[in-house]
Amino acid sequence: MVNDAPSPWNIANFVTMIRIAMVPFFAWALLVEGGDDTTWRLVATAIFVVAAVSDKVDGYLARSRGLITDLGKLLDPIADKLLIGAALILLWIPLGEVPWWIPVVILVRELGITFMRMGMLKYEVMPASRGGKLKTVLQSVAISMFLLPRDGFEWFTVLAWIVLMAAFVLTVVTGIEYVYQGWKIRRDARARMRSV
């Protein structure tokens, strides 16, 4: 019997692993000179943007080449959470550029929904919603804007805050939607079990 399942050691998963490996380099570049060095802020921003874009690249490669694997399904969200989480935490604690409640609420939501979706696998797979995908894009754009040097560009700082707050609101709203969707899946699955 021939096993047609793709190897987990494929180009799509390799891109995901590179994204994970980029996180410490991003963190180091951001913290050079306490985050006040313009050149290193630009380097950190570039690393973050490349890593964020690589999320689309590995997804495209996996789908277009039939390389979707269980390892990829596991690593991809981990890579996303590590990148976004590291950026938010560094912008909060050592740099003090965002208040504590923004990274805390976003990270609690992200981790909570990830664990909930894993728990729902015994019933069915919960796909990412359009709102969830838009949330990820807004988070990445907002963080990129905060990573850039903004001294002397007050309008850009205001714009960065507007995008960040839009991402924050969408993060909360989609989190509530996922919880409701998970509750419905669980309720319907239990109803089917009782009717058998």
Side-chain angles (χ1 to χ4, degrees):
M1 183 175 178
V2 178
N3 184 6
D4 292 330
S7 167
W9 307 110
N10 59 58
I11 185 65
N13 290 345
F14 182 66
V15 171
T16 305
M17 291 178 200
I18 289 176
R19 183 159 76 256
I20 292 173
M22 291 173 79
V23 173
F25 292 101
F26 155 72
W28 176 79
L30 182 60
L31 295 178
V32 171
E33 299 293 332
D36 293 327
D37 186 283
T38 299
T39 300
W40 283 106
R41 285 290 288 240
L42 292 172
V43 170
T45 305
I47 294 172
F48 180 87
V49 170
V50 169
V53 170
S54 76
D55 182 35
K56 302 299 180 189
V57 174
D58 62 21
Y60 170 77
L61 290 171
R63 288 187 300 272
S64 66
R65 300 190 181 189
L67 299 176
I68 297 172
T69 63
D70 289 339
L71 179 63
K73 292 177 184 176
L74 175 68
L75 288 181
D76 190 63
I78 290 174
D80 295 342
K81 304 299 183 284
L82 282 174
L83 182 65
I84 296 289
L88 287 171
I89 289 171
L90 293 175
L91 286 170
W92 162 34
I93 296 178
L95 301 180
E97 297 183 21
V98 298
W100 66 269
W101 50 271
I102 290 178
V104 168
V105 170
I106 289 177
L107 293 177
V108 166
R109 182 270 191 207
E110 297 291 355
L111 293 173
I113 296 303
T114 297
F115 286 124
M116 186 195 76
R117 290 172 79 173
M118 290 172 63
M120 289 291 108
L121 288 176
K122 59 186 173 185
Y123 303 119
E124 66 179 78
V125 175
M126 292 179 66
S129 66
R130 285 186 179 181
K133 292 176 182 177
L134 178 59
K135 173 267 307 177
T136 302
V137 171
L138 282 178
Q139 285 180 355
S140 298
V141 171
I143 290 170
S144 298
M145 295 174 78
F146 269 89
L147 292 173
L148 285 168
R150 301 182 310 281
D151 291 342
F153 296 94
E154 292 302 319
W155 63 270
F156 190 78
T157 299
V158 171
L159 183 59
W161 272 106
I162 291 171
V163 177
L164 181 60
M165 292 315 300
F168 181 84
V169 170
L170 199 55
T171 299
V172 173
V173 170
T174 56
I176 294 169
E177 288 176 346
Y178 276 124
V179 169
Y180 177 67
Q181 182 186 356
W183 174 79
K184 282 205 313 182
I185 290 171
R186 188 168 180 268
R187 180 199 64 190
D188 295 344
R190 290 191 164 191
R192 286 194 299 271
M193 291 169 62
R194 283 195 298 268
S195 64
V196 172

